Amino acid sequence: MYMRKLIITLMLGIAIAHNTTAQTRSDLRDSLSAAVQVLAFHPDSLELRMKKAAWNIELEQWRYAQEEYDFVLKCDERNIAALFYRAYVNERQGRYKFARLDYENLLRIVPGHFEAMLGLALLNQKDNRPTEALNQINMLVAQHPNNAVAYAARGGIELERKMYTPAEYDFSRAIELQPTNTDYRLNRANIRLLTNRKKEAREDLDAMVRLGIPRANLNEWYKKCR
């Protein structure tokens, strides 16, 4: 639950901005169409190709986005944004080997790049490389001990592996660092339910309601706490 939401949030929002805004699919298609028309007159513009790739991603046109990043990286193999987003696009196409290479190449250019390290750890978790994933996420937490996302990502990996005690610790640390993040609280509530601690799970749900989540949205979770 958490892992998929986290990686999509990171890829499309936290890292290197593509400067896209919330739009309807119709708006996105119009923006893409306009980008294609302009690109026809300036086919060598890397900036325009990056913008077109952004619209392709928003519309989940993974292959088209990949082609744009391929072109950009052929011209500028050290383009950090293109490497990062191509890794994401490759992952969405199930091309894990190529996604891993993009992350690794990015990290050679910018050692310690937070989003690349996180993306690589999550990719290895998804690609059934548990030891590599845990080593990388541990390194990320060690390098960024005050980053809530790092703790939450490690907690997500631990939760998937049913390592409930360390997962609860990591989500608790994430909550300490970002008290208003309701995703972290919901994950901790889930862990507490899995370990049969319904009263504590309910406390997390109550905290989410106080933070503005409609109680009706949590009805199924409250039923589990009975």
Side-chain angles (χ1 to χ4, degrees), residues 1-2 5 159 171 175 179-194 200-208 211 213 217-222 224-225:
M1 173 181 62
Y2 179 79
K5 182 174 182 179
L159 177 55
F171 279 114
I175 291 167
T180 61
N181 189 300
T182 54
D183 287 330
Y184 301 162
R185 290 188 181 275
L186 185 59
N187 276 278
R188 189 171 70 176
N190 183 38
I191 292 167
R192 289 172 168 178
L193 285 170
L194 290 170
E200 292 171 86
R202 187 183 183 92
E203 291 172 356
D204 275 327
L205 298 179
D206 290 343
M208 292 175 65
L211 287 168
I213 301 297
N217 291 3
L218 300 171
N219 278 343
E220 293 303 314
W221 289 95
Y222 272 109
K224 297 177 183 179
C225 294

Side-chain angles (χ1 to χ4, degrees), residues 80-219:
I80 295 170
L83 280 169
F84 183 78
Y85 282 98
R86 189 173 70 175
Y88 171 68
V89 168
N90 277 325
E91 183 270 331
R92 291 308 302 267
Q93 295 180 97
R95 291 158 48 92
Y96 297 156
K97 176 182 177 180
F98 295 101
R100 186 174 293 104
L101 285 172
D102 281 336
Y103 283 131
E104 290 172 348
N105 286 333
L106 196 164
L107 287 167
R108 289 191 192 95
I109 299 169
V110 187
H113 187 283
F114 181 88
E115 288 82 8
M117 291 180 67
L118 178 57
L120 184 57
L122 295 175
L123 173 65
N124 281 326
Q125 171 71 3
K126 186 173 183 178
D127 197 24
N128 197 29
R129 295 185 175 213
T131 301
E132 292 177 50
L134 197 55
N135 288 342
Q136 286 158 351
I137 202 67
N138 284 339
M139 187 184 304
L140 189 68
V141 171
Q143 292 181 8
H144 301 272
N146 295 314
N147 190 301
V149 172
Y151 284 102
R154 187 168 69 178
I157 289 174
E158 292 160 341
L159 177 55
E160 285 190 1
R161 300 183 191 185
K162 300 183 180 180
M163 300 165 59
Y164 298 134
T165 299
E168 181 176 358
Y169 167 82
D170 280 328
F171 279 114
S172 295
R173 283 289 291 128
I175 291 167
E176 289 175 15
L177 293 165
Q178 287 186 4
T180 61
N181 189 300
T182 54
D183 287 330
Y184 301 162
R185 290 188 181 275
L186 185 59
N187 276 278
R188 189 171 70 176
N190 183 38
I191 292 167
R192 289 172 168 178
L193 285 170
L194 290 170
T195 53
N196 200 31
R197 291 150 58 213
K198 296 181 179 181
K199 181 176 181 295
E200 292 171 86
R202 187 183 183 92
E203 291 172 356
D204 275 327
L205 298 179
D206 290 343
M208 292 175 65
V209 172
R210 290 194 296 272
L211 287 168
I213 301 297
R215 186 184 175 91
N217 291 3
L218 300 171
N219 278 343

Side-chain angles (χ1 to χ4, degrees), residues 12 18 20 23 25 27-36 39 47-72 85-86 88-89 92-93:
L12 295 183
H18 264 289
T20 58
Q23 296 177 303
R25 292 189 72 82
D27 290 336
L28 288 169
R29 290 192 185 95
D30 289 344
S31 297
L32 177 59
S33 177
V36 169
L39 191 57
E47 181 180 358
L48 287 175
R49 287 186 178 275
M50 292 291 289
K51 287 181 178 179
K52 176 180 176 293
W55 306 129
N56 291 138
I57 285 180
E58 292 286 344
L59 290 166
E60 299 184 358
Q61 297 173 346
W62 311 120
R63 181 62 186 175
Y64 290 127
Q66 181 199 322
E67 289 173 354
E68 298 302 339
Y69 293 130
D70 287 347
F71 183 95
V72 171
Y85 282 98
R86 189 173 70 175
Y88 171 68
V89 168
R92 291 308 302 267
Q93 295 180 97

